[in-house]
Amino acid sequence: MASPSRRLQTKPVITCFKSVLLIYTFIFWITGVILLAVGIWGKVSLENYFSLLNEKATNVPFVLVGTGTVIILLGTFGCFATCRASAWMLKLYAMFLTLIFLVELVAAIVGFVFRHEIKNSFKNNYEKALKQYNATGDYRSDAVDKIQNTLHCCGVTNFRDWEDTSYYSEKGFPKSCCKLEDCSPQRDADKVNNEGCFIKVMTIIESEMGVVAGISFGVACFQLIGIFLAYCLSRAITNNQYEIV
């Protein structure tokens, strides 16, 4: 049996770890809410853009919603385990955090390895959307219009890409190619944007890639902190139980 002074030294350590882990778990829970909100927003607002990347890319919002839900549930479990000061629940919490960390690591590696295929997929699907453009509310055509309006671009590489489409032969350039709002879809190259959309989209993606990589690295390190705190608190609780005995 440990001395009373030894137990008195252990209890402040447990209290400190509990406080820090509760703060961590709350922040972790908030990230789950953010991911859930981003997933819902992506499903509502960005589904057309995902469809130009790949048919399976439309599932990305569901992945974010699912991940956010899992993090919310796991954060709630972590908070409960911390308040109960249960050693086995904290070990389980650390195990789940480790599992999520490994999944994120694999996803980051896969995304880095196949980054060039993402570019090729977007270009091929964008060319296909141009050839099938009809301006009648088709989701791919709507995505093309939104990208061209937002980025002030026209076609894949330049505005002449439209000359190979049936829409151009019938009606000329679509209104989303026009530089001005009152531009009519006529075959007048002076009234359309000259730059292609592919280069602009890829430039934006590549410029933001460093930011995404930094955020991903920060999230991964943040989870390692949670794993460390949960493990240390579990050890401290177990040692304190042995000292009491």
Side-chain angles (χ1 to χ4, degrees):
M1 182 175 179
S3 63
S5 61
R6 174 74 175 179
R7 293 198 299 271
L8 288 174
Q9 292 174 1
T10 306
K11 287 183 179 180
V13 173
I14 294 176
T15 303
C16 179
F17 273 124
K18 284 181 66 175
S19 300
V20 176
L21 188 57
L22 279 173
I23 295 173
Y24 165 86
T25 303
F26 176 73
I27 298 174
F28 184 64
W29 189 86
I30 291 296
T31 60
V33 174
I34 294 173
L35 279 177
L36 181 62
V38 170
I40 295 173
W41 172 74
K43 178 62 180 175
V44 173
S45 304
L46 302 178
E47 187 173 12
N48 291 339
Y49 297 92
F50 286 122
S51 67
L52 290 179
L53 286 174
N54 192 288
E55 293 294 337
K56 295 181 180 179
T58 53
N59 294 324
V60 170
F62 293 110
V63 173
L64 292 175
V65 169
T67 303
T69 303
V70 170
I71 289 177
I72 290 173
L73 294 175
L74 185 57
T76 304
F77 175 79
C79 182
F80 180 74
T82 305
C83 293
R84 287 287 303 272
S86 173
W88 73 268
M89 292 178 69
L90 287 167
K91 289 178 181 177
L92 188 62
Y93 180 46
M95 186 185 71
F96 281 132
L97 288 176
T98 304
L99 183 62
I100 292 177
F101 169 76
L102 293 176
V103 170
E104 289 176 347
L105 183 63
V106 171
I109 294 173
V110 170
F112 178 79
V113 172
F114 293 100
R115 66 189 185 282
H116 297 298
E117 292 190 13
I118 294 174
K119 292 181 181 180
N120 294 332
S121 177
F122 176 80
K123 186 175 182 180
N124 293 335
N125 281 287
Y126 201 89
E127 290 174 345
K128 183 178 180 181
L130 256 62
K131 292 178 180 178
Q132 298 176 351
Y133 183 88
N134 53 41
T136 58
D138 175 74
Y139 72 97
R140 285 179 177 266
S141 302
D142 185 47
V144 169
D145 284 334
K146 286 183 179 180
I147 290 175
Q148 293 189 155
N149 281 324
T150 303
L151 301 181
H152 304 292
C153 56
C154 186
V156 181
T157 55
N158 56 56
F159 67 93
R160 296 193 181 278
D161 292 327
W162 282 99
E163 295 178 0
D164 297 328
T165 67
S166 58
Y167 181 89
Y168 173 83
S169 61
E170 296 175 3
K171 300 181 180 180
F173 295 105
K175 289 186 177 182
S176 58
C177 277
C178 297
K179 295 179 180 179
L180 303 174
E181 292 183 1
D182 59 351
C183 171
S184 59
Q186 302 298 324
R187 302 181 187 181
D188 189 352
D190 295 333
K191 295 182 179 181
V192 300
N193 294 300
N194 296 324
E195 293 184 77
C197 295
F198 176 72
I199 295 177
K200 282 198 169 187
V201 171
M202 289 301 108
T203 300
I204 293 174
I205 291 176
E206 290 173 358
S207 64
E208 299 297 330
M209 198 168 289
V211 177
V212 173
I215 293 175
S216 301
F217 180 76
V219 170
C221 291
F222 186 66
Q223 286 182 232
L224 289 175
I225 293 173
I227 295 169
F228 173 77
L229 289 173
Y231 177 75
C232 288
L233 179 57
S234 175
R235 283 281 309 265
I237 293 171
T238 302
N239 291 338
N240 186 59
Q241 290 173 346
Y242 279 125
E243 288 169 3
I244 294 175
V245 174

